Amino acid sequence: MAASKGTLPAVSLQVGERSIELATIRASQGNHGIVVAPLMKETGLVALDTGYLNTAPCTSEITFIDGDAGILRYRGYPIEQLAEKSTFLEVAMLLIKGELPSAHDLEAFETRIDKHMYLSDDFRQIFSVMPRRAHPMATLGAAINMMAGFYPESLDPLDPSAVSLATVLLLAKMPTIISYIYRRAQGNALLYPKHGQSYIENFARMTFQLPGERFEAPEAFYRALDTLLILHADHEQNCSTSSVRMIGSAQANLYMSVSGGVSALSGPLHGGANESVLNMLQYIRDTDIEPKKFMEKVKDRSSNIRLMGFGHRVYKSYDPRAAIVKEQADAVLAALGVKDELLDIAHEVEQVALSDDYFIERRLYPNVDFYTGIIYRAMGFPASMFTPLFALGRLPGWIAQWREMIRDPAAKIGRPRQIYVGHPEREYVPLDQRP
Ligand code: CMC
């Protein structure tokens, strides 16, 4: 399924008197590309593209997004079908291996994951040295980095069996790590994974089971959690995934690369938005501000307030993930017997925004983060755990993209150029002669 070069007309670029030809590359779907690699060598010029609005650092076979039509597909399969029919571990295999697994292969993979969910007592110690009030994303990034120290046999990025082991260890241990981060913050003892429980059941039990009690939740709880993870599983070259690829391009191991993805994801403009949405809805409730009045603040540039959970670099129509989450929110809350006024506020804010010229002109719609927090909250997660949940969901995507990059013969260490706009050369001025 590789993109074919030269099947589109080349592009000529006029630089002063000189004209150079740049090859083009055909996408199987979506934007075709211009190969600008010879630009600097041929012309001495570099391309300035702040925020990479037009820059494709790679070709990829993993995820396709059509932002105008609101389409998201993993390996060709529509997100709506995967969310309805698949499971998170099956989607992880699809993203990482490229095809839906056979029943036998899926079972073998699940068994392998199940076997590795356990964290050694030495590893468990690291949660006790992190302050209880540390943000969960800080601890998560640190714990994933530590995995490089605990599993040295899985570090070599060029050894397929080491990469396969690192893939399984990350997917298996991440739910355990996230549940431990939560329990440590709560002051509760860390529990062990149980063989025979599913991935999601183990995660929920290790997170929520109280001392001396059994943890039980309705089927809708597990299904919704699984679906939310599927919805987050990949999103092509977003900020955290690009960070993972960039770090991996130096042949840093998979753990170090994924830990960098966790850092990028923590930002409020990226994965941290789900936590910010909930804080925003709580602010609207607690201050009793009318959603219309709140929107005036958002539109006032001097306020520096954004409508969190709205807008997206790629989607210029309704984010298909947000549509699925919105549809699920009412049903999940009903199944869990939760009534949350924040959901009503969210519906109202969405209505106001979607009929406001500011949002219409800029094509700003709810993104995946707008409704997810309300479901997580109904499940019992505090807002600070929302972004780690996003990270758990995004993990298969980071791994799949890193592996694609490592195997790509065209891949090079990521090393962008710059356009220097600082001082020309000047003489050092001794301290006693400076004004
Ligand atoms: N509230 C108010 N104005 C907005 C918003 C928003 N949420 N998003 C964009 N705008 C305005 C922005 O001020 C700009 O206006 P103008 O043209 O007058 O300068 C215009 O829309 C274009 O925005 P931009 O910042 O140039 O767009 P971008 O593609 O660089 O940023 C974004 C995309 C997601 C960072 C941005 O929409 C945003 O900050 N949204 C809120 C944070 C959020 O919900 N992030 C989660 C993204 S989805 C999950 C994920 O993938 O991580």
Side-chain angles (χ1 to χ4, degrees):
M1 199 47 76
S4 50
K5 266 192 187 175
T7 46
L8 291 169
V11 168
S12 11
L13 181 71
Q14 193 72 33
V15 184
E17 300 289 293
R18 252 189 95 205
S19 166
I20 65 156
E21 291 234 313
L22 294 173
T24 50
I25 181 160
R26 183 180 278 283
S28 59
Q29 284 193 291
N31 303 105
H32 306 306
I34 303 173
V35 183
V36 296
L39 184 67
M40 194 175 82
K41 197 164 156 226
E42 297 286 328
T43 68
L45 299 173
V46 296
L48 176 66
D49 188 17
T50 310
Y52 308 114
L53 270 80
N54 306 280
T55 296
C58 59
T59 58
S60 180
E61 298 182 358
I62 301 171
T63 287
F64 173 70
I65 303 175
D66 181 334
D68 289 318
I71 289 172
L72 169 61
R73 297 186 199 123
Y74 299 159
R75 303 276 187 191
Y77 295 101
I79 190 65
E80 292 79 6
Q81 291 180 22
L82 294 169
E84 189 191 335
K85 298 175 181 166
S86 189
T87 62
F88 178 59
L89 286 182
E90 184 183 55
V91 165
M93 281 190 90
L94 170 68
L95 288 167
I96 293 166
K97 309 252 179 194
E99 294 297 337
L100 285 169
S102 66
H104 173 269
D105 288 353
L106 179 59
E107 200 187 323
F109 185 66
E110 287 169 344
T111 306
R112 204 171 164 210
I113 297 279
D114 184 48
K115 200 175 117 200
H116 286 289
M117 286 186 87
Y118 169 83
L119 286 177
S120 69
D121 282 351
D122 278 358
F123 201 120
R124 288 156 61 102
Q125 296 296 324
I126 69 169
F127 299 97
S128 61
V129 298
M130 285 301 276
R132 276 184 213 285
R133 62 190 165 79
H135 193 282
M137 287 297 275
T139 314
L140 180 60
I144 292 173
N145 252 317
M146 295 289 286
M147 288 183 74
F150 277 87
Y151 310 109
E153 65 284 12
S154 61
L155 299 187
D156 184 353
L158 305 180
D159 172 358
S161 66
V163 170
S164 164
L165 180 59
T167 297
V168 168
L169 295 183
L170 269 166
L171 284 165
K173 297 188 192 297
M174 185 101 138
T176 314
I177 290 172
I178 293 176
S179 74
Y180 286 3
I181 293 171
Y182 175 74
R183 291 190 83 81
R184 161 89 182 135
Q186 300 290 308
N188 284 329
L190 312 185
L191 301 181
Y192 290 103
K194 261 190 201 161
H195 291 305
Q197 274 204 316
S198 78
Y199 189 75
I200 297 291
E201 284 167 352
N202 250 321
F203 173 52
R205 182 188 51 76
M206 286 192 289
T207 305
F208 292 121
Q209 186 176 307
L210 293 173
E213 289 183 19
R214 274 170 67 88
F215 173 76
E216 277 170 5
E219 186 47 35
F221 175 104
Y222 298 114
R223 186 58 207 154
L225 193 48
D226 205 52
T227 307
L228 288 173
L229 296 181
I230 292 172
L231 294 181
H232 287 91
D234 193 47
H235 216 230
E236 46 116 315
Q237 308 312 316
N238 57 83
C239 180
S240 57
T241 302
S242 300
S243 307
V244 170
R245 275 185 178 259
M246 173 67 104
I247 298 168
S249 76
Q251 293 185 358
N253 63 62
L254 185 56
Y255 307 109
M256 300 288 198
S257 306
V258 166
S259 165
V262 169
S263 301
L265 193 75
S266 70
L269 296 189
H270 191 12
N274 51 18
E275 184 178 346
S276 307
V277 170
L278 204 90
N279 294 337
M280 177 186 78
L281 295 173
Q282 277 168 338
Y283 168 83
I284 294 174
R285 181 196 61 194
D286 297 345
T287 56
D288 226 359
I289 185 172
E290 287 284 313
K292 271 204 172 137
K293 276 247 163 65
F294 181 74
M295 226 52 84
E296 293 309 316
K297 286 186 178 219
V298 168
K299 292 189 286 180
D300 172 8
R301 286 192 162 256
S302 65
S303 76
N304 271 334
I305 297 176
R306 287 202 159 195
L307 183 57
M308 300 313 283
F310 256 72
H312 199 275
R313 170 65 60 77
V314 184
Y315 293 118
K316 299 303 166 198
S317 66
Y318 216 101
D319 178 337
R321 303 167 300 172
I324 296 170
V325 181
K326 182 183 174 184
E327 211 179 278
Q328 287 208 341
D330 286 306
V332 175
L333 264 60
L336 299 179
V338 173
K339 170 93 188 93
D340 191 345
E341 57 187 323
L342 295 187
L343 181 58
D344 303 328
I345 296 173
H347 283 312
E348 201 179 338
V349 168
E350 183 189 342
Q351 279 305 317
V352 173
L354 293 182
S355 51
D356 187 308
D357 283 346
Y358 176 96
F359 292 88
I360 296 169
E361 279 159 19
R362 290 169 180 75
R363 302 175 72 191
L364 302 171
Y365 292 85
N367 59 51
V368 68
D369 287 327
F370 195 66
Y371 285 104
T372 45
I374 290 172
I375 301 184
Y376 290 143
R377 186 172 128 99
M379 291 171 167
F381 290 103
S384 61
M385 293 301 293
F386 296 174
T387 317
L389 289 165
F390 190 152
L392 177 59
R394 184 55 51 89
L395 182 61
W398 288 334
I399 295 172
Q401 299 270 354
W402 183 95
R403 289 170 59 132
E404 185 178 66
M405 184 268 311
I406 287 288
R407 281 197 311 265
D408 183 352
K412 284 182 177 299
I413 185 169
R415 201 322 182 170
R417 306 304 287 227
Q418 64 169 8
I419 294 173
Y420 176 70
V421 293
H423 283 285
E425 184 180 355
R426 47 187 179 158
E427 281 292 317
Y428 177 79
V429 181
L431 193 57
D432 60 358
Q433 290 170 30
R434 288 177 217 159

